[in-house]
Amino acid sequence: MELSTLDYGFIIIFFSLVLGIGIYVSKKSGKNSSEFFLSGRTMPWWLLGLSMVATTFSTDTPNLVTDIVRTSGVSGNWVWWCFLLTGMLTVFVYAKLWRKSNVKTDLEFYEMRYGGKPASFLRKFRSIYLGALFNVITMASVTLAAIKIGGIMLGLEPWETVVGAGLITVIFSALGGFKGVVYTDFLLFFVAMAGAIGAAFYLVNIPEVGGIEALIAHENVAGKLNILPDFDNTSVLITMFIIPIAVQWWSSWYPGAEPGGGGYIAQRMLAAKNENHAIGATFFFNIMHYALRPWPWILVALASLVVYPDIASIASAFPEVAESKLGHDLAYSAMLTKLPSGLLGVVLASLVAAYMSTISTQLNWGSSYIVFDFYKQQINPDATEKQMVVVGRISTVILMVLSALLALTLQNAFEVFDLLVTFGAGTGLVFILRWFWWRINAWSEITAMFASGIISILLVKTSLGDILFDPITGVLPEWANYPFVVVVTTAIWVAVTFMTKPESDATLRSFYKKIQPGGPGWAKVVSKATRDNEEISTTNEKWSVPSGIGAMLIGVVLIYSIMFATGYWIYGETTLALTLTGIAIVAAILLVRTWGKMKTTIL
């Protein structure tokens, strides 16, 4: 495939703008660690919301969605659509708590909520466990997608893609810090959306596909269109719908969808101007992420089933691609090779935008853990602001190199998704309850983290099969594996919670006084403090969590209705589309009223 001068022009202009922004903000970003990692906590909700969307618009996401649709149909996306429940819970319950905490990273929370050596260990260990290990794995998945795109569309060797894309991204990230990431995300969002929508519209209408009606009627596609799984197939129903909706969303830690908030989502909430802006940013993100963005990818994935019905057809069309990199996820890149000059350049620029946005966020977030939660805590407690910025920039480069090396060993995006969800199974509940139940201590989290990882490894090493499901057949003979990990892990950490000492009165009271979480889970602490003549409850307002959960449920109905109505409009099923559109309108009205009662206004 040959790129035209126009295509190269789009790409060069894009790179120039991104690097220009990084250089422009580099001086202020390097001023101190708060600027480098949180932009001085001055960001508005709309900019942070767009940044969250752009960050999750990574190059591996269209590949992952394509893999799922080709192997399990549209309904297979419930493995990640279920995380909307986590996202909306974060919006209406946890966003204001995170912003109120005023910590620099979500790991700093540990030494606010817990005390002593266990809290210190937990913070330091997770700074490496998440900031380095899991962060490198996530970035490797994104880089793997870039390798496949580079190989299919540009004929590049894997190392050439890694060096080319990685070098520009790491320079930009090290220079601009968080402010550079957020400012460029604003640009990257619009470029990425334009590329995804433009590609979907063009590829559905190429002669081989024949338009949306021909696509829907095609024999390779007709059985893949259902938004809900086949209720007559018990195994598929349990695996693809019941487990994700009933268990997975609250029980698993997954980057960008952490129960109770966390990671780079928490970083953006912490960078918001105030609590209202933190809530607005996360709500805006969830609407864009789930309601508006999936369908362009799904349409390209469905069209690919017509043009490249199996992996053998992809291998035949692109013989230069190494056998180790072949997979259904490659179909997305293969379809993009059919784009015309001009649009091809826009789409390539959008893919580069998606790559840079995700990687730069992961680098800045990961290095913030290493600087604040490991280097300053373990290595140099007296580190100056200048030293922390320098360490942040060095760790940015090291994380990029490690993720690039790992990417060269991976085969497809689903491997990483499966790995991350599996290792986080059973830990989610502790992240949700730690804000509202005084009895949870540092040992609860330590136990949950290690139990989940160890049990998952033991299951994978046995003959019980995959933890989630076989992405090829969509069938999980041993479908109880994942719930088993969740149940056992939860039972272990709850038992350890009651077997170990609670946090000290001083630690619990300090946390309550700062956060004001309220609720029956803290009644004992508040009552005891009152008896000791210490007033730690500073508000007489009604506990907001029940209202927050109500708003969460309405928000879930709103966003799912919009997402599925969009799908049915595309399918031409007018009655269902109108019904769901009506439900979305009613849900929107109810949500506005509920939100108003919570006395939360977006500024």
Side-chain angles (χ1 to χ4, degrees), residues 157-430:
E157 292 293 326
W159 71 266
E160 292 176 321
T161 302
V162 167
V163 172
L167 188 61
I168 295 174
T169 305
V170 77
I171 291 173
F172 156 74
S173 302
L175 284 174
F178 182 76
K179 181 169 288 187
V181 170
V182 173
Y183 282 6
T184 53
D185 277 348
F186 180 79
L187 169 67
L188 303 183
F189 168 79
F190 292 104
V191 173
M193 283 299 296
I197 294 172
F201 182 82
Y202 182 86
L203 293 171
V204 165
N205 290 286
I206 60 176
E208 296 99 308
V209 178
I212 189 67
E213 292 183 2
L215 173 65
I216 292 172
H218 195 279
E219 60 181 355
N220 292 349
V221 175
K224 303 284 187 179
L225 295 173
N226 291 336
I227 294 175
L228 293 174
D230 182 2
F231 280 48
D232 293 329
N233 188 326
T234 303
S235 182
V236 172
L237 177 64
I238 292 173
T239 302
M240 294 187 180
F241 187 73
I242 294 178
I243 289 178
I245 286 293
V247 181
Q248 185 175 305
W249 72 269
W250 59 263
S251 64
S252 285
W253 182 97
Y254 185 76
E258 298 87 346
Y264 57 78
I265 300 298
Q267 184 187 34
R268 278 153 178 74
M269 291 188 286
L270 293 169
K273 288 182 178 181
N274 54 43
E275 297 166 28
N276 290 324
H277 282 269
I279 294 169
T282 48
F283 185 48
F284 183 60
F285 158 66
N286 279 279
I287 292 176
M288 298 300 294
H289 182 56
Y290 293 99
L292 301 179
R293 196 170 55 180
W295 284 104
W297 298 331
I298 291 172
L299 286 172
V300 174
L302 292 172
S304 75
L305 287 166
V306 177
V307 182
Y308 304 104
D310 50 33
I311 295 178
S313 60
I314 300 174
S316 176
F318 302 96
E320 70 279 6
V321 176
E323 185 177 353
S324 63
K325 300 301 180 185
L326 285 172
H328 284 288
D329 59 337
L330 207 59
Y332 189 83
S333 303
M335 290 296 291
L336 297 183
T337 62
K338 297 184 175 295
L339 295 174
S341 176
L343 181 56
L344 177 61
V346 172
V347 171
L348 274 174
S350 75
L351 292 172
V352 172
Y355 173 80
M356 293 186 68
S357 175
T358 303
I359 293 295
S360 59
T361 287
Q362 296 288 151
L363 289 173
N364 187 266
W365 163 60
S367 62
S368 73
Y369 281 3
I370 293 172
V371 170
F372 289 124
D373 303 302
F374 185 76
Y375 172 73
K376 187 168 176 60
Q377 294 297 309
Q378 184 72 25
I379 306 299
N380 187 5
D382 299 319
T384 64
E385 291 293 330
K386 185 176 180 180
Q387 287 174 322
M388 287 192 287
V389 171
V390 170
V391 173
R393 285 173 166 159
I394 292 172
S395 60
T396 295
V397 175
I398 294 173
L399 289 173
M400 185 72 240
V401 171
L402 292 175
S403 67
L405 293 174
L406 178 60
L408 296 173
T409 69
L410 297 176
Q411 184 170 353
N412 66 64
F414 196 88
E415 290 177 349
V416 181
F417 179 87
D418 193 20
L419 175 66
L420 294 177
V421 171
T422 299
F423 267 69
T427 62
L429 193 59
V430 73

Side-chain angles (χ1 to χ4, degrees), residues 48-236:
L48 290 172
L50 283 176
S51 177
M52 292 181 195
V53 182
T55 293
T56 54
F57 211 133
S58 57
T59 46
D60 64 326
T61 309
N63 288 18
L64 173 63
V65 171
T66 300
D67 194 334
I68 290 172
V69 170
R70 286 173 62 90
T71 57
S72 304
V74 174
S75 63
N77 285 286
W78 281 102
V79 300
W80 69 275
W81 284 345
C82 69
F83 287 124
L84 171 63
L85 281 78
T86 306
M88 297 308 286
L89 189 65
T90 298
V91 171
F92 293 109
V93 176
Y94 293 100
K96 66 178 182 179
L97 299 177
W98 277 114
R99 186 59 186 87
K100 192 183 293 185
S101 72
N102 211 38
V103 294
K104 291 185 174 68
T105 71
D106 56 315
L107 298 189
E108 187 180 335
F109 169 88
Y110 289 128
E111 292 189 294
M112 175 188 296
R113 173 63 177 83
Y114 312 125
K117 292 182 178 179
S120 179
F121 166 79
L122 187 59
R123 180 180 180 183
K124 294 167 187 173
F125 180 82
R126 285 184 73 83
S127 68
I128 301 301
Y129 180 70
L130 297 180
L133 178 60
F134 266 58
N135 197 22
V136 165
I137 292 172
T138 303
M139 288 192 294
S141 175
V142 177
T143 302
L144 171 66
I147 288 172
K148 294 193 174 189
I149 292 169
I152 288 287
M153 302 187 70
L154 302 174
L156 298 176
E157 292 293 326
W159 71 266
E160 292 176 321
T161 302
V162 167
V163 172
L167 188 61
I168 295 174
T169 305
V170 77
I171 291 173
F172 156 74
S173 302
L175 284 174
F178 182 76
K179 181 169 288 187
V181 170
V182 173
Y183 282 6
T184 53
D185 277 348
F186 180 79
L187 169 67
L188 303 183
F189 168 79
F190 292 104
V191 173
M193 283 299 296
I197 294 172
F201 182 82
Y202 182 86
L203 293 171
V204 165
N205 290 286
I206 60 176
E208 296 99 308
V209 178
I212 189 67
E213 292 183 2
L215 173 65
I216 292 172
H218 195 279
E219 60 181 355
N220 292 349
V221 175
K224 303 284 187 179
L225 295 173
N226 291 336
I227 294 175
L228 293 174
D230 182 2
F231 280 48
D232 293 329
N233 188 326
T234 303
S235 182
V236 172

Side-chain angles (χ1 to χ4, degrees), residues 554 558 562 582-594:
I554 298 171
L558 170 64
I562 296 172
I583 292 173
I585 293 171
V586 172
I589 294 171
L590 290 175
L591 184 60
V592 169
R593 291 180 178 177
T594 303

